Structure formats: structure tokens, C-alpha cells
Amino acid sequence: MSDTAVTPVPVKEDTTPHPMEDWLRMDRIPHIWCPTCGLGIVVTALVEAIKKSAFDPDLMAVVSGIGCTGRVAGYIKLDSFHTTHGRAIPFATGLKLSNPKLKVVVVSGDGDLTGIGGNHFIHAARRNIDLTVICVNNFIYAMTGGQVAPTTPNPAVTSTTPYGAFEPPFNLANLAEACGATYVSRWTALHVRRLVESMTRALMKPGFSFVEVIAPCSTLYARRNRLGSGLDLMKFYHDNAIIKNGCPTPEVGIDFQKPFVVGDFVDKERPTWHDRMRAQMTATLGEKFIPKVGPSICTNCE
Amino acid sequence: MVKADPLGVLTGSHYLDGDEACAEGALAAGVRFLAGYPITPSTEVAERCAARFPFMGGTFIQMEDELASMAAVVAGVWGGSKCLSVTSGPGFSLMMENIGLGIMMETPLVVVNVQRGGPSTGLPTMPGQADMMQARWGSHGDYEVIAVAPNSPQEAFDLTVEAFNLSERFRTPVFVMLDECVGHMTEKVVIPPADEIEVEPRYMYTGDPKEYLPYKLDGNEYNVPPMLHAGQGARFHTTGLTHDERGYPDMTPACQDVLVNRLVDKIRKRDDIVHLEEDGIEGADVIVLSYGISTRVAYGGIRIARERGVKVGHIAMKIVWPFPEKRILELVDSVKGILTVEMNLGQMALETERLAQGRCKTVLAGHAGGTVHDPKVIAKAIEELAK
């Protein structure tokens, strides 16, 4: 209404260091994720959990597959591997077996880990490989434009289920427990404090530990299903996530836009792949058994 | 070159099949991690490593499939071990996905393919040599490969060591293209003492790990950057995406051009990745070109043809990829023809044809697999070409 000329306010350069600059590849920021995506929160929570855990960051590695969450490995300043679609877990298995001193964390999406990578997921849990697997579940294949996933609740609309999804989705927590995971939890991108605590416990837990993070995708999942903005999804989590620690995992399946259970579900002791392999080899071979304790390449280097 | 680690070297004179000899070659070269999946006729390689690893600080895991095996093997290299996987045609198809990752990440490793008759399940217990073009072109995108083809258990040992050395030198996956016949034939294999086995060490970065850029070239004669492993303090990133020298994704035509051309040129622009065994080439009217088990059957045909007065030479390829272009081009104007002997319906024969461009005749002595050639058929083809 006013015809007064607008004088631009000079922007003062903020020289405050980013609080996570020791942990992020600042030369890759800004990241590629959409506004209101849950992945920024997941990365922050994981960094906080790594700081709380007792691990030497130089001996940690992050492995991601393909997809939106697949890009996490590129932003966290640890040895990090952005691999092929679905193969983050077998890649992580190879790293861990090649150098058992490494603490290996897999961060990938629901489609990557339990669709194309589903076979690897169940076998790594069965073997109880010492890995921490963070699965960011946005209920769709987001990077490719929002197609139906093995996690899509019925009857959500996706680009390949334009009339509503009808295949029954996985209950990932139940799947992980059934296959032998030693630690299983689920939180949302809203439950930041509990998520950090849960990720810390997962990192510290020997064996196959699994954290599912329900994360908002406003660009595709919310838009196609008319669920509003990313903020609206966070409000939905606030109003509908029921915290039930220790809840039996068969009871934590997720229905479309219905109240759902979050919490720490499983925390149990089970010998890891390395524990069992070493025990078996020692029982059979005795002192002749020479375990692989670290990288072996340098025995050949001058 | 350094000397082999004695812990993995079974020095002595042995009676081994080709698969077992191949495993011993890998162990002598320093392999300490194998991820694999059972498949006839290759499984003995994995079985022998599984039996031998516990005595030398090695780890074997039988994965859920070949997709996982290959992913684990690429990762095992980045974890700091020399790594191997083993398969046959159907599994080789599944491995192609992460062989591509290995090529893109510049990961030195070896994959053994004990070839059987195909396509599909084909002839699981019988020989074939029909995966030669799959070895060359099986993954997607532009790249070059290196592959060796042993013709005996002794060569299975020797060429597996050579395959590891080439993989470390050029930082790329290298294939050992065995076939069921060599894989399951048992012969004398002499394994030398460890200090007589030359091993190419991994080309490692020696500066401050904090300054490390995983794909920054340093003028190395093989046009590859030095490596660091996970856990060495560099906190580096690597990806299957097109990447810059920091290992960061840079999806631009300019970055693609630089990266993919280097991946290709580090092999294509060299003419010294050659290993041939030649016999009677001087003054020959006909050249027989062969590899793997077919070299031994070809000798039979050549002997018959020579007895009948034909001047015939033999090139037995030990390294089959890259194809020995320079050597073939030297010969095309001085011979009447080149006969390619292979257990397929024409794969490496196409390379000969491509190079000869009509300057000499190029003929295939091939069959669909399941058994080796009849030497008389080869002799007859040689005589036809000499006319």
C-alpha cells in the first residue's frame, strides 16, 4: 500500500562456526534434500549419537545404498561409502569382516534396505553381523519420484499405485526381530531426544542393531496423499505416535494415517557372527587358528 | 614388487585340480578375504580358501547370493585386505552390478569365473568359453577390463598371481577366466618358495591422511591415484556416482569426461598388458589363436596339420583382455588366415575379424560347449585356411 521505497537491510555475515562442522563435509553443504525432509534431523541425531558413543571416529565407517537416504554417507565426515542399490548391508558386511576393528553403520532407506536389499537385510540379521542399521522410512521410493515401497501403508497413493496401494506392507521392527536383530527400535523425526538415545544404544550394542526412523516426505508422500506440509506430518507424529517401550513387535504394524507405536522394542544378548566363528574355529583348530583381527594388506607393503 | 607372505604359500610339488591351484595362487598373492556363493563348477576354489584361511588370518563368508558376494568383496578391499570372489556364468551375471562399482571406485580385486555351458543354467558340469564377451562388456557403461585364461592347473596358479598383480597395478577388477575342463583337471602343480613369488603391493598414499583426496592423481605411471583404507584417519568418501578427485559426486558432462576417459585409457592406451605364448609364427601361412583349455586341444590340431606339411603358428593368449591388438595387426598382412579356436560360437574371433579388416582370412573353429574340440576338426580348418 505504501509507496515508500524499500531500503534493503544489509545482511551481516555470520561468522559463527556451524556447530557440526567437525562432523559434516561442509564443502558439500547445502545438501540436496527437500525443505521439510526428515533426513537432516536423522543426520544430526546420528552425529549426536556417535559423539555420545565411545567409538573412535577414525575407526567408524558409514555405508549407504541408493536413494534420498543413500546420500547420507556423502555428508557425514567419516570414512563413507555410497554404494549400489540395496547392497549397503553386504558392503558393510565386507568392510567389517575385512577389518573387524571398524564400527560400521548403515544408513539407508526403506526401499533400499527392505525392497531390493531385503534378502541381505534378513541374512545379516540372522548372522548377527556387528552392524548398526538405521532405516529411514518415508513409506515410498522418493528419489525416483514417489513409487510404492514394501513399506507403503494401504491405501496410500503413490506414483505407481495411483488408485491406492494394496499390497500388505512390511512391519520392519517385527521383520528385524524375527531375523535375529539384537536391538530394535522405532522413532520418528519428531522424537529427536529419544532418537539420539536410541541410536546411541544401537551403536553400543554388539550385533545387528536396527533403528527405524519414520521421516516426513512432504514433496511426494504428503502431497500425493493430501496430508499437508512437512510441518503437518510432524504434527501428525506428535498427535498419533504412541510411545510403548518393550511393545511386542507383531503389534507395531503401521496403518495409513492411524495412530502407531514407537519405542525401544528389543534389546537382547546374542553372540555375533565373529563371536560364533571364533568360538567354532578355536574349538576345532585350537591354537592353530589365526583370527583375522585387522587389515591384512600391509603385511605385503614395504 | 615385494615377496609373497609365506603364510599363504604352500611351497612344494602338488597334485591339484585347476580350481584348487587357482585358490593356492590367490592365497600366495595374499588374499585374506573371500565372499562367495556356491556354484558348479567353481565351488572348489571357495572351499579350499574356507579350509585354508583359518591358518593364515583370513576370513571366508558364504553370502546369500552373488550380488552380496561382490558387494562384500569390493568393501573388503576398502577395509584393507586382498579379496577374491569366485563363480560361474549365472553368478557372474549377478556380480556384474558390483563389478561396475569396483571399476568406478577403482578397487583392486579378482573374480574367478569357471566357465560352463550357457546360456542360463545351461550345462552346469560341462565346460564352455562363452562368457568372454560378458567379461568384457557385462556391466553397464564404458570401461575396460583385464582378464587371464589359464590352460592348466599350473597356469591356474601362476596366472591367478598375475591377475592379482595386474589388479593392484591398475586398481581395477581382474578376471580369471577358467573353464570347467581346466577347473576339474588334476595335474602336477609346483608352488615356488614365497621369496620367489613376486607380489605387486597396493599403491598406498603416504602423506598426511587429513590431506588425502581419494581420486587425486600423483603422476603414478599407471595413471591411478594412491589408496587409503577405511580406518586410517582420512575420513574419505567414495561413491559409484561420477565423482571428482575428492570422491564427491560431480554429475556434469565435464567430470564424466575426465573420469571415464581415465578409467578407460589407463588400460586401453597401454600396449604392454600382453601375455602370449607363441610357437612357429615365423614364416607361418596360418595362425591359430586360442586361450584356456582350447590352447591344448589346438596343439593337437596343429600337430596333425604340420605333419601334413602346413606352415602353422600358434598364439596362446594368457591375457585375453585387453586383446593383443598390436601383435595381431603385425601378422595380418603376412599370413593367409587366422583361425580362432574357442568353445563358443564366435566371441574372440570377432576381435580378430575386427582387426584384420579383410587383410587376411579370419575363421572360427568353435562349438557350443559341453566338451572340448576334436583336434581333427581344427586340423581340417587349418588346412582349409592354408589353401
Side-chain angles (χ1 to χ4, degrees):
Chain A
M1 294 294 169
S2 161
D3 44 19
T4 326
V6 178
T7 318
V9 182
V11 180
K12 198 180 161 197
E13 199 185 333
D14 187 354
T15 53
T16 319
H18 189 287
M20 283 170 53
E21 69 173 14
D22 288 344
W23 295 90
L24 298 181
R25 295 195 166 96
M26 297 306 290
D27 49 356
R28 293 211 61 208
I29 305 294
H31 56 67
I32 64 160
W33 296 315
C34 304
T36 80
C37 175
L39 279 163
I41 294 167
V42 174
V43 169
T44 306
L46 179 59
V47 167
E48 289 304 318
I50 289 170
K51 285 200 265 185
K52 284 179 159 214
S53 77
F55 293 103
D56 175 358
D58 280 347
L59 287 175
M60 295 190 81
V62 177
V63 182
S64 293
I66 295 295
C68 293
T69 313
R71 294 306 192 91
V72 166
Y75 296 120
I76 296 188
K77 201 153 77 182
L78 296 169
D79 288 329
S80 58
F81 299 89
H82 179 223
T83 66
T84 40
H85 196 19
R87 317 302 168 218
I89 286 177
F91 195 100
T93 301
L95 263 184
K96 180 70 186 176
L97 268 56
S98 178
N99 182 359
K101 288 178 186 150
L102 295 173
K103 173 67 203 178
V104 185
V105 184
V106 172
V107 188
S108 220
D110 49 306
D112 186 81
L113 288 170
T114 67
I116 188 169
N119 197 29
H120 314 309
F121 182 90
I122 63 176
H123 286 282
R126 171 183 65 81
R127 295 183 181 112
N128 204 21
I129 305 279
D130 187 19
L131 301 174
T132 294
V133 177
I134 313 285
C135 176
V136 180
N137 183 359
N138 56 13
F139 303 121
I140 46 163
Y141 286 89
M143 183 68 97
T144 46
Q147 293 78 28
V148 70
T151 49
T152 308
N154 294 179
V157 171
T158 74
S159 71
T160 47
T161 55
Y163 311 111
F166 53 87
E167 289 183 9
F170 270 140
N171 169 346
L172 296 184
N174 187 223
L175 178 69
E177 183 184 21
C179 295
T182 53
Y183 181 86
V184 180
S185 71
R186 173 198 290 156
W187 298 99
T188 77
L190 182 75
H191 298 83
V192 176
R193 183 175 56 79
R194 291 181 174 90
L195 181 60
V196 171
E197 286 167 5
S198 179
M199 283 180 171
T200 311
R201 281 194 289 275
L203 289 171
M204 303 296 287
K205 185 81 189 174
F208 188 92
S209 55
F210 177 69
V211 179
E212 178 185 7
V213 190
I214 307 294
C217 172
S218 61
T219 306
L220 295 164
Y221 185 73
R223 181 168 57 84
R224 284 218 173 83
N225 288 290
R226 303 180 188 282
L227 304 177
S229 66
L231 182 61
D232 291 322
L233 286 183
M234 292 295 236
K235 282 180 181 156
F236 174 79
Y237 300 159
H238 178 266
D239 297 340
N240 291 278
I242 303 158
I243 299 176
K244 267 171 122 173
N245 291 322
C247 183
T249 59
E251 297 167 20
V252 304
I254 296 175
D255 290 325
F256 185 60
Q257 292 305 99
K258 296 271 170 55
F260 62 100
V261 176
V262 295
D264 295 328
F265 303 134
V266 176
D267 189 345
K268 67 182 178 196
E269 307 305 318
R270 194 170 163 245
T272 67
W273 186 90
H274 273 101
D275 293 337
R276 295 179 71 96
M277 182 272 287
R278 285 177 182 147
Q280 182 63 32
M281 293 292 180
T282 306
T284 311
L285 302 175
E287 288 180 2
K288 287 185 195 155
F289 172 50
I290 304 175
K292 183 168 181 37
V293 290
S296 45
I297 196 75
C298 287
T299 57
N300 284 335
C301 297
E302 300 283 61
Chain B
M1 291 286 220
V2 298
K3 306 299 177 200
D5 174 6
L7 215 49
V9 183
L10 198 68
T11 303
S13 202
H14 308 275
Y15 191 54
L16 299 175
D17 76 16
D19 283 358
E20 293 165 333
C22 173
E24 288 302 332
L27 298 173
V31 166
R32 296 295 179 266
F33 180 61
L34 189 158
Y37 186 80
I39 184 167
T40 305
S42 76
T43 315
E44 293 87 339
V45 184
E47 287 169 344
R48 191 163 179 105
C49 288
R52 298 256 288 126
F53 270 155
F55 305 99
M56 62 185 79
T59 294
F60 168 78
I61 185 169
Q62 184 172 313
M63 296 298 283
E64 51 274 16
D65 56 33
E66 289 91 346
L67 304 163
S69 303
M70 203 59 229
V73 159
V74 174
V77 174
W78 288 97
S81 306
K82 273 200 187 177
C83 302
L84 173 72
S85 197
V86 189
T87 191
S88 187
F92 203 43
S93 297
L94 294 185
M95 287 185 178
M96 284 301 157
E97 172 193 60
N98 289 299
I99 285 170
L101 182 70
I103 288 163
M104 196 60 153
M105 287 183 170
E106 297 188 71
T107 312
L109 56 91
V110 170
V111 179
V112 177
N113 177 358
V114 188
Q115 297 171 86
R116 62 194 221 184
S120 191
T121 313
L123 300 171
T125 61
M126 296 173 182
Q129 289 184 313
D131 300 347
M132 302 309 295
M133 282 295 171
Q134 191 191 13
R136 175 66 188 83
W137 301 107
S139 200
H140 53 277
D142 274 315
Y143 60 94
E144 288 279 336
V145 298
I146 303 174
V148 301
N151 75 2
S152 66
Q154 182 67 54
E155 279 199 359
F157 177 88
D158 296 339
L159 292 178
T160 301
V161 175
E162 186 170 341
F164 273 99
N165 290 346
L166 289 163
S167 79
E168 295 292 345
R169 199 171 299 148
F170 294 100
R171 270 193 71 171
T172 196
V174 173
F175 305 130
V176 177
M177 302 300 286
L178 274 165
D179 53 72
E180 188 277 337
C181 199
V182 175
H184 285 163
M185 107 185 3
T186 305
E187 287 183 339
K188 182 178 173 180
V189 176
V190 178
I191 299 179
D195 61 5
E196 289 175 21
I197 299 172
E198 299 267 291
V199 171
E200 182 81 37
R202 187 156 295 167
Y203 185 54
M204 299 299 291
Y205 175 82
T206 51
D208 177 2
K210 291 191 171 51
E211 304 293 317
Y212 178 63
L213 298 175
Y215 295 99
K216 187 175 164 59
L217 295 168
D218 66 350
N220 161 300
E221 65 172 302
Y222 301 109
N223 207 14
V224 297
M227 267 190 104
L228 276 185
H229 300 137
Q232 292 191 295
R235 303 198 194 177
F236 64 83
H237 182 63
T238 181
T239 173
L241 286 167
T242 297
H243 47 265
D244 61 18
E245 63 181 20
R246 298 169 298 177
Y248 293 177
D250 179 355
M251 287 165 284
T252 59
C255 188
Q256 171 80 354
D257 183 61
V258 170
L259 174 63
V260 179
N261 272 295
R262 184 175 62 78
L263 293 180
V264 166
D265 287 350
K266 72 180 178 181
I267 296 167
R268 190 180 286 177
K269 288 240 168 117
R270 295 190 79 96
D271 54 16
D272 58 346
I273 312 176
V274 183
H275 185 165
L276 306 172
E277 203 171 85
E278 299 189 345
D279 166 45
I281 302 294
E282 196 65 37
D285 287 329
V286 175
I287 301 284
V288 171
L289 184 76
S290 67
Y291 54 92
I293 188 59
S294 298
T295 66
R296 297 176 71 163
V297 191
Y299 280 127
I302 289 165
R303 200 176 304 123
I304 297 168
R306 282 178 180 163
E307 281 164 8
R308 293 176 187 166
V310 183
K311 284 192 248 171
V312 51
H314 188 196
I315 297 179
M317 296 191 286
K318 308 302 170 184
I319 292 179
V320 282
W321 297 117
F323 194 73
E325 296 192 356
K326 196 175 156 194
R327 184 61 179 141
I328 299 297
L329 285 171
E330 284 167 2
L331 297 168
V332 288
D333 289 326
S334 59
V335 298
K336 288 183 182 167
I338 299 176
L339 178 73
T340 306
V341 180
E342 53 184 344
M343 231 187 304
N344 58 51
L345 300 183
Q347 298 198 7
M348 305 307 271
L350 298 174
E351 288 293 290
T352 319
E353 198 177 312
R354 173 176 71 81
L355 292 166
Q357 291 188 14
R359 285 150 69 186
C360 70
K361 284 189 265 182
T362 51
V363 175
L364 164 75
H367 67 82
T371 182
V372 296
H373 290 72
D374 179 348
K376 290 195 283 294
V377 173
I378 297 169
K380 195 173 170 214
I382 294 169
E383 286 177 89
E384 285 292 315
L385 262 180
K387 277 179 190 167

